[in-house]
Amino acid sequence: MKKKLSIIILTMSIPFAAACGHNDNAESHTSHTHTAANGDLQEVTASADTLPAFLDDKEENVRAVYTAAAKHAAVLGQIPCYCGCGESAGHKSSLNCFIAEQNNNEITWDDHGTRCGVCLDIAATAAAMTEEGKSPQEIRTYIDHTYSEGYAEPTPTPLPGA
């Protein structure tokens, strides 16, 4: 898995939108899909083992980051996002770019991360560092340092252990 996540990080150089935006092409809705107040498409699945249908037409690396986000949800919940989604979407951490809510095994996925290279990079990096054995504090320090200049204000994510 370490190799796969490392490959994800390397392939993140595939052009993504530099800033996050709303995709007006999200037309198909199922009974478990809805649009959040901020315009993000959200879809509920029974577990992390079932990815949302909005990923069906996305590149493998995007689907892999969503899978990694679910696997490492506890860590991503301690890592801020620097794309501006704290203000524009009310996100509290990097996790919210991929998962809006978890109730028991049921997951409400959020499509925000599908349109944002910053979100994908942060989540892929945090997942890879977790797989390498880094602590949430070490990951947070690295992400904060990497994105401290030239990016939007971070989400209001408490420090790990706070």
Side-chain angles (χ1 to χ4, degrees), residues 28-36 40-47 50-54 100 106-110:
S28 65
H29 298 282
T30 66
S31 60
H32 292 100
T33 302
H34 67 277
T35 302
D40 287 351
L41 185 65
Q42 295 183 341
E43 183 176 335
V44 178
T45 65
S47 74
T50 305
L51 291 174
F54 64 70
E106 193 174 83
I107 294 186
T108 302
W109 301 92
D110 193 297

XYZ file of all heavy atoms in Angstrom, residues 28-36 40-47 50-54 100 106-110:
216
model
N -26.763 13.415 -12.631
C -27.425 12.190 -12.209
C -27.474 12.098 -10.693
O -26.478 12.254 -10.015
C -26.696 10.976 -12.784
O -25.417 10.891 -12.239
N -28.672 11.895 -10.167
C -28.861 11.768 -8.734
C -29.604 10.472 -8.443
O -30.536 10.108 -9.147
C -29.688 12.944 -8.188
C -29.020 14.264 -8.395
N -27.997 14.717 -7.606
C -29.223 15.229 -9.320
C -27.605 15.902 -8.022
N -28.319 16.236 -9.065
N -29.164 9.774 -7.419
C -29.887 8.598 -6.975
C -30.637 8.988 -5.718
O -30.523 10.099 -5.228
C -28.917 7.436 -6.663
O -28.135 7.813 -5.533
C -28.025 7.114 -7.846
N -31.376 8.047 -5.149
C -32.153 8.354 -3.955
C -31.252 8.693 -2.771
O -31.704 9.299 -1.815
C -33.062 7.177 -3.610
O -32.279 6.036 -3.366
N -29.987 8.306 -2.831
C -29.063 8.585 -1.738
C -28.099 9.725 -2.070
O -27.095 9.895 -1.426
C -28.262 7.321 -1.383
C -29.099 6.268 -0.774
N -29.577 5.194 -1.488
C -29.558 6.122 0.481
C -30.287 4.428 -0.695
N -30.292 4.971 0.511
N -28.403 10.477 -3.100
C -27.539 11.576 -3.511
C -28.285 12.884 -3.330
O -29.476 12.970 -3.607
C -27.133 11.419 -4.991
O -26.484 10.173 -5.159
C -26.203 12.520 -5.434
N -27.575 13.886 -2.844
C -28.169 15.211 -2.719
C -27.090 16.263 -2.909
O -25.903 15.964 -2.890
C -28.876 15.373 -1.364
C -27.945 15.381 -0.196
N -27.466 14.231 0.378
C -27.392 16.406 0.496
C -26.657 14.543 1.378
N -26.588 15.851 1.476
N -27.534 17.486 -3.086
C -26.606 18.602 -3.221
C -26.595 19.366 -1.906
O -27.649 19.759 -1.396
C -27.028 19.533 -4.373
O -27.085 18.758 -5.572
C -26.034 20.669 -4.557
N -25.407 19.564 -1.365
C -25.249 20.304 -0.115
C -25.522 21.782 -0.359
O -25.528 22.248 -1.503
C -23.841 20.095 0.434
N -21.849 21.281 -3.283
C -21.156 19.998 -3.421
C -22.173 18.872 -3.527
O -23.201 18.874 -2.854
C -20.249 19.717 -2.220
C -18.988 20.571 -2.203
O -18.725 21.269 -3.192
O -18.276 20.526 -1.183
N -21.863 17.910 -4.361
C -22.686 16.718 -4.492
C -22.299 15.765 -3.372
O -21.107 15.527 -3.141
C -22.442 16.071 -5.859
C -23.312 14.880 -6.221
C -24.771 15.307 -6.356
C -22.834 14.263 -7.525
N -23.284 15.227 -2.664
C -23.022 14.273 -1.596
C -23.820 13.007 -1.850
O -24.951 13.064 -2.300
C -23.373 14.873 -0.234
C -22.478 16.039 0.118
C -22.749 16.622 1.484
O -23.806 16.414 2.069
N -21.781 17.363 1.997
N -23.177 11.868 -1.570
C -23.817 10.575 -1.801
C -23.542 9.657 -0.621
O -22.416 9.556 -0.151
C -23.275 9.956 -3.091
C -23.934 8.647 -3.442
C -23.452 8.094 -4.768
O -22.994 8.887 -5.622
O -23.528 6.871 -4.946
N -24.584 8.984 -0.175
C -24.478 8.060 0.945
C -24.284 6.644 0.422
O -24.982 6.209 -0.490
C -25.757 8.118 1.820
C -25.675 7.122 2.969
C -25.988 9.527 2.334
N -23.299 5.934 1.002
C -23.125 4.513 0.720
C -23.135 3.765 2.050
O -22.943 4.359 3.115
C -21.816 4.200 -0.039
O -20.692 4.522 0.787
C -21.739 4.964 -1.355
N -23.346 2.477 1.987
C -23.472 1.656 3.194
C -22.168 1.526 3.970
O -22.180 1.281 5.171
C -23.996 0.266 2.828
N -21.037 1.693 3.287
C -19.748 1.564 3.967
C -18.641 2.169 3.105
O -18.865 2.537 1.953
C -19.424 0.094 4.234
O -19.051 -0.554 3.038
N -17.816 0.775 -0.464
C -18.578 1.153 -1.652
C -18.344 2.634 -1.928
O -18.816 3.492 -1.187
C -20.090 0.909 -1.441
O -20.291 -0.444 -1.064
C -20.870 1.215 -2.702
N -17.594 2.906 -2.982
C -17.339 4.296 -3.360
C -18.578 4.877 -4.021
O -19.384 4.159 -4.622
C -16.146 4.379 -4.308
C -14.786 4.059 -3.694
C -13.701 4.037 -4.767
C -14.431 5.053 -2.593
N -18.752 6.190 -3.954
C -19.930 6.827 -4.541
C -19.903 6.790 -6.066
O -18.837 6.768 -6.682
C -19.841 8.259 -4.028
C -18.388 8.480 -3.783
C -17.854 7.158 -3.315
N -21.087 6.826 -6.648
C -21.214 6.781 -8.111
C -20.571 7.997 -8.774
O -20.133 7.902 -9.920
C -22.678 6.676 -8.513
N -20.472 9.122 -8.069
C -19.870 10.304 -8.705
C -18.393 10.103 -9.015
O -17.789 10.887 -9.736
C -20.125 11.601 -7.927
C -19.528 11.694 -6.537
C -18.156 11.808 -6.339
C -20.357 11.705 -5.428
C -17.623 11.920 -5.068
C -19.835 11.823 -4.150
C -18.461 11.931 -3.964
N -18.331 13.848 4.161
C -19.071 14.860 4.902
C -19.465 14.358 6.283
O -19.479 15.120 7.245
C -20.313 15.281 4.125
N -22.167 3.683 7.650
C -22.664 4.488 6.536
C -21.818 5.754 6.366
O -21.477 6.412 7.337
C -24.119 4.853 6.820
C -24.848 5.411 5.635
C -26.318 5.601 5.949
O -26.653 6.644 6.549
O -27.111 4.710 5.614
N -21.486 6.062 5.112
C -20.647 7.227 4.807
C -21.375 8.157 3.845
O -21.936 7.717 2.845
C -19.304 6.801 4.180
C -18.486 6.021 5.203
C -18.528 8.007 3.670
C -17.104 5.672 4.760
N -21.342 9.445 4.165
C -21.816 10.458 3.234
C -20.572 11.056 2.583
O -19.810 11.781 3.209
C -22.625 11.562 3.953
O -23.720 10.962 4.629
C -23.135 12.592 2.937
N -20.367 10.676 1.326
C -19.211 11.139 0.555
C -19.503 12.529 0.017
O -20.654 12.869 -0.254
C -18.950 10.197 -0.614
C -18.676 8.786 -0.233
C -19.591 7.775 -0.127
C -17.405 8.201 0.071
N -18.960 6.603 0.231
C -17.625 6.840 0.364
C -16.109 8.702 0.137
C -16.595 5.973 0.703
C -15.077 7.842 0.483
C -15.321 6.494 0.756
N -18.471 13.316 -0.198
C -18.590 14.664 -0.747
C -17.705 14.758 -1.989
O -16.558 14.314 -1.964
C -18.138 15.681 0.311
C -18.511 17.103 -0.043
O -18.014 17.603 -1.081
O -19.274 17.713 0.715
